[in-house]
Amino acid sequence: MLEPGELQVPGGGIPEELSQLARLALSGDEASGEQDASGAPDKTGFPDPVYVMAANIFQGIRIETSPEKLLIKYGSEPLRPAAGESEDESLQHLAYELAFSTLKYQGILETILIDSSIFPSTTIPDHLSSLIIVMLYDFQDRKFQARLFTDNQQCIVEVQEVENLLNSFKTKLAAALARYRIKHDALSIYHILPETVRNQERRASTLPLYAWINALKIRPEEVYHSLKKRGYTKVNTILNIGGKVFAVDQHCYDVLIFPSYLKSDLLNIDLFKDHKLIFQDKSRSLAVHSVKALLNVDDDILMVNTGSWYTVAHMSNLISKNSKIFVCGVQAQAKHPDLKKLFTKMGCKNIEILPESFLNIEWKDNRLQKVKVILLLPRCSGLGISNPVEFILNEHEDTDLLKDFSQGGTSEEKLRFLAQQQYEQLAHAMKFTKAQAVVYCTCSVYPEENEVVVKKALEFQDPGTKIQPYRLSPPVLPLCARREIHSSADKFFRMEPSEITNGCFLSVLTRERDPSETVSVKDVLARAAAKGLLEGIELGKSSKREKKKKSKTALPKAPTTDSKGIQTKIAEFLNRETNANAKRPLQPTTAKISPLQKSTIPVASSLQVRKPTKPAASPLVPAFMKNPSLPRPYERPSNLVRPRPEDKMVVLKPVEIVLPPVMFPLSPPPGIRPHIPTQHFYYGWFAPKTTMPGYHSTPIPRKAEKPKGNLPSSLRRHRRPWL
């Protein structure tokens, strides 16, 4: 054990150092007022096992220094943690927070250690260097006050040695810190950090808590009632409201929002202890709700790189019991040996973990033939996250991510590496022929990991397959604010990092629908129910309505012998009209077409208006466009009686033309030539219910049917049929 007397370094200028120490204490109060605005009590230190775990974490994520500038040597051997303490989640969280804070101030702390003559004057083993720098950060954060011990606290020899060393250099350390602040003209070392890091810390201190309701174990109404009994009040928004309040998220109906200062109280509630309420970042809830909106009945899901198992459990809450969730891209057995036990506690039964990595799974895998939607949560820079420690612990991300956060950005080389990985995974997901949609979600703010990856995958998708290609679809989530509508104009869903939410990027890719495919009513109703459009409607009655609708919209039967004879006579009439008009000399058209007539001509602009002296077959021919043997309207006279196969479907503008009734089976007396004034167009006619889309049909009155009395007066002027 190191003796403090052996580490004393003679020096002068103590009055000056004491003066700077006083200034340090004053500025320390100012700095703590900015960082600890939540009113947290004075810090008293951590248990010994936390320092050891934090030192080992820092050893793995510290920023390497070039050999010529290396003044402090770090050993390669980790410290041995206390038995059983490394599995304590609460201690793990404290250790990661301490290691990350030390990493952000690594350069400053190393300068203080050298300026105070702790390095290299003292003989300290290299493997204790990480422990010294971690404990130094906590020492200055406590304003160089002694650590408070609790009863039955476990003591570790290495921690006690380093603590005695730092206490013996207390004055010199405080003076070195003060000189560093004066040199950089900073009120505290907090102000020396990059602005991006300071903004991230500020957001992390106010970021609300998001928790989703485990519907497999409890109903939302029961959750509200339980919280109310605990003194919580349901409000529309938690912003600018104090006390014990909560609100329901606008994007995800099963997600509750709590103020950050209530976390310690919420963790002691049975709702969280019994896995009825689950803390998780909102971006993951947005991803699973997007998948739900795309699912049909009994569709399976493939989840890639999910990170947290709570994301898988949330997905299990939102799908039917007959659907199955396949999970790949994680090492379940190594990270969670009691994973099945966890899912059992949460009530999840439809989850299967695939041992292969995602890129090694073939699209022809028989296990995945019912997979219709793929959820891809690739590893990313994660710089849209405000609290990286929570993100790493909950999503089981690599601790190297903390290094990028401490520097306020990601290097270009690493960004290119991540973007290439993301593109390969997205391109592989688009090869699964049975899948109909891919949801791509990241927590990054870099376009290289978001829009660029998606657009590249769409551009280079394989055109040789017989399946329909993918296209970019609009967000399937509700857009609750004007800025969300504006940011989603290019069909991407974005949430910028703010004081109320972490950053999130979400893209939905769907296959273009095959015209030959038909979607069952069952699937349509299931998709509508997933979007909340069928509240209070029983889905079991849909099949009867569908059959009734099909019977109403069935194509008309072939015309009888009488109607065929009438159609023949009409064709002869059109031929006579054509021949008569062809013999007349051409005259310049001077008559003007009224606006009413113009609006009734749904033809392309390339067609020219014919002379008004012609009887214009337009009022007659549309009544028989269902028969391909009849001529099309608005064509050249020579082609009026020529049948064309493409006449089965006519694409028209959405203008409704209503024609006078034609009386069947009567035919016009011979020798009488009907005269059809071109100005007689009526718009008050109501089309029959059996009219097929894309056709203009003429209603055929039933035998001995009297005209209704509510018809327009202009229609009653025609006392006799037109034919």
Side-chain angles (χ1 to χ4, degrees), residues 16 131 196 215 285 300 320 357 362 365 408 418 423 444 505 508 536 558 589 607 609 716 721:
E16 179 184 356
L131 183 60
T196 54
S285 297
D300 289 347
S320 66
S357 65
E362 296 185 3
D365 196 313
L418 291 174
Y423 166 73
S444 174
F505 173 85
V508 177
T589 302
L607 297 179
V609 179
R716 291 198 292 268

Side-chain angles (χ1 to χ4, degrees), residues 690-705:
T690 57
T691 302
M692 291 296 295
Y695 294 87
H696 299 290
S697 61
T698 303
I700 303 177
R702 297 177 183 176
K703 188 176 181 180
E705 181 180 5

Side-chain angles (χ1 to χ4, degrees), residues 88-383:
D88 192 321
E89 292 185 1
S90 60
L91 295 182
Q92 270 191 349
H93 189 278
L94 294 175
Y96 271 94
E97 289 283 3
L98 180 57
F100 179 54
S101 298
T102 305
L103 181 65
K104 288 185 290 186
Y105 298 97
Q106 177 181 343
I108 302 175
L109 297 172
E110 289 178 346
T111 301
I112 293 174
L113 287 173
I114 295 172
D115 192 23
S116 62
S117 301
I118 291 184
F119 284 98
S121 61
T122 56
T123 56
I124 301 175
D126 292 344
H127 71 279
L128 292 181
S129 297
S130 296
L131 183 60
I132 291 176
I133 198 168
V134 164
M135 295 187 67
L136 173 60
Y137 170 79
D138 180 58
F139 194 30
Q140 66 83 30
D141 198 34
R142 300 196 315 264
K143 304 174 188 177
F144 298 98
Q145 300 300 315
R147 181 166 58 121
L148 298 181
F149 293 88
T150 59
D151 297 338
N152 302 324
Q153 180 173 325
Q154 182 181 4
C155 294
I156 300 177
V157 175
E158 290 84 355
V159 174
Q160 299 299 318
E161 292 178 355
V162 172
E163 188 168 29
N164 292 335
L165 172 64
L166 296 178
N167 282 328
S168 65
F169 279 80
K170 174 180 177 179
T171 302
K172 293 183 177 295
L173 290 170
L177 176 59
R179 286 191 293 270
Y180 191 92
R181 286 173 39 215
I182 294 172
K183 178 181 178 180
H184 292 83
D185 194 21
L187 293 176
S188 67
I189 59 175
Y190 169 78
H191 294 88
I192 304 175
L193 293 175
E195 184 177 1
T196 54
V197 178
R198 282 183 282 145
N199 291 337
Q200 172 257 322
E201 285 193 0
R202 218 168 8 245
R203 292 195 304 266
S205 63
T206 60
L207 190 68
L209 305 172
Y210 292 88
W212 54 270
I213 301 172
N214 186 357
L216 298 176
K217 302 192 68 174
I218 193 171
R219 293 184 295 113
E221 295 77 11
E222 296 175 344
V223 174
Y224 304 155
H225 180 70
S226 178
L227 290 173
K228 185 177 180 180
K229 290 175 62 177
R230 296 276 304 188
Y232 285 81
T233 304
K234 184 180 178 182
V235 295
N236 293 328
T237 176
I238 64 170
L239 297 178
N240 303 321
I241 299 179
K244 302 173 70 173
V245 296
F246 72 95
V248 179
D249 184 70
Q250 294 180 329
H251 298 97
C252 308
Y253 60 85
D254 62 342
V255 174
L256 303 183
I257 313 173
F258 299 89
S260 58
Y261 56 81
L262 295 175
K263 184 172 184 179
S264 58
D265 182 71
L266 292 171
L267 290 175
N268 295 323
I269 297 179
D270 292 339
L271 290 174
F272 288 91
K273 293 180 179 179
D274 299 337
H275 297 95
K276 296 177 180 179
L277 275 178
I278 311 297
F279 282 126
Q280 195 169 23
D281 184 66
K282 181 180 175 178
S283 63
R284 296 315 191 220
S285 297
L286 292 172
V288 297
H289 273 270
S290 297
V291 172
K292 179 194 174 184
L294 298 167
L295 288 176
N296 292 324
V297 177
D298 300 342
D299 286 348
D300 289 347
I301 307 160
L302 176 61
M303 302 181 67
V304 184
N305 296 340
T306 56
S308 173
W309 296 113
Y310 290 145
T311 306
V312 182
H314 195 180
M315 189 77 260
S316 178
N317 269 254
L318 300 178
I319 64 176
S320 66
K321 296 181 179 178
N322 296 328
S323 298
K324 200 168 188 178
I325 301 174
F326 295 93
V327 186
C328 66
V330 291
Q331 298 178 357
Q333 292 77 8
K335 293 185 177 181
H336 286 275
D338 298 329
L339 188 58
K340 292 183 178 180
K341 185 177 180 181
L342 173 65
F343 285 148
T344 302
K345 288 182 179 179
M346 301 185 69
C348 306
K349 300 179 181 179
N350 52 353
I351 301 171
E352 180 176 340
I353 302 172
L354 304 179
E356 308 97 322
S357 65
F358 177 57
L359 295 179
N360 291 333
I361 298 178
E362 296 185 3
W363 59 269
K364 297 182 293 184
D365 196 313
N366 293 330
R367 298 169 296 180
L368 309 178
Q369 294 306 302
K370 286 182 59 181
V371 169
K372 299 300 180 184
V373 182
I374 300 176
L375 174 56
L376 186 59
L377 300 168
R379 180 171 174 252
C380 63
S381 62
L383 290 184

Side-chain angles (χ1 to χ4, degrees), residues 486-501:
H486 177 72
S487 64
S488 303
D490 54 355
K491 298 184 180 181
F492 295 117
F493 183 87
R494 301 179 184 86
M495 295 187 70
E496 297 297 329
S498 65
E499 295 180 353
I500 60 174
T501 182

Side-chain angles (χ1 to χ4, degrees), residues 440-451:
Y440 179 85
C441 181
T442 74
C443 299
S444 174
V445 296
Y446 293 115
E448 293 85 349
E449 297 183 277
N450 299 333
E451 298 94 334

Side-chain angles (χ1 to χ4, degrees), residues 416-610:
R416 286 194 298 267
F417 174 76
L418 291 174
Q420 181 62 26
Q421 278 190 338
Q422 294 153 1
Y423 166 73
E424 291 176 358
Q425 291 181 353
L426 181 56
H428 187 65
M430 297 169 65
K431 295 179 181 178
F432 286 74
T433 56
K434 297 295 184 179
Q436 298 299 314
V438 177
V439 177
Y440 179 85
C441 181
T442 74
C443 299
S444 174
V445 296
Y446 293 115
E448 293 85 349
E449 297 183 277
N450 299 333
E451 298 94 334
V452 175
V453 171
V454 175
K455 292 179 180 179
K456 182 180 178 182
L458 288 173
E459 181 181 359
F460 293 100
Q461 57 182 321
D462 187 7
T465 57
K466 298 181 180 180
I467 57 177
Q468 294 295 106
Y470 275 98
R471 64 179 178 182
L472 187 62
S473 296
V476 293
L477 297 168
L479 304 179
C480 306
R482 182 176 300 178
R483 64 178 180 274
E484 294 178 4
I485 298 176
H486 177 72
S487 64
S488 303
D490 54 355
K491 298 184 180 181
F492 295 117
F493 183 87
R494 301 179 184 86
M495 295 187 70
E496 297 297 329
S498 65
E499 295 180 353
I500 60 174
T501 182
N502 286 320
C504 175
F505 173 85
L506 199 146
S507 176
V508 177
L509 306 180
T510 57
R511 290 197 187 277
E512 297 180 4
R513 187 170 297 281
D514 191 345
S516 63
E517 292 183 357
T518 58
V519 182
S520 66
V521 175
K522 186 179 180 182
D523 289 340
V524 173
L525 293 177
R527 189 173 299 174
K531 297 182 179 180
L533 302 178
L534 300 179
E535 296 182 0
I537 299 179
E538 297 180 5
L539 300 183
K541 300 180 180 180
S542 60
S543 59
K544 296 182 180 179
R545 290 198 296 268
E546 180 187 10
K547 293 179 181 179
K548 186 176 180 181
K549 184 177 180 181
K550 286 184 178 180
S551 62
K552 288 184 178 181
T553 59
L555 291 174
K557 296 181 179 180
T560 60
T561 305
D562 295 338
S563 63
K564 288 183 178 179
I566 294 173
Q567 294 175 9
T568 304
K569 293 179 180 180
I570 292 174
E572 294 175 357
F573 164 74
L574 295 175
N575 289 331
R576 290 196 302 270
E577 288 293 305
T578 303
N579 296 332
N581 293 333
K583 294 178 181 180
R584 297 177 186 175
L586 294 175
Q587 298 178 357
T589 302
T590 58
K592 295 183 178 180
I593 300 177
S594 64
L596 181 62
Q597 288 175 308
K598 290 182 179 180
S599 63
T600 61
I601 305 177
V603 295
S605 60
S606 61
L607 297 179
Q608 300 179 356
V609 179
R610 300 298 176 186

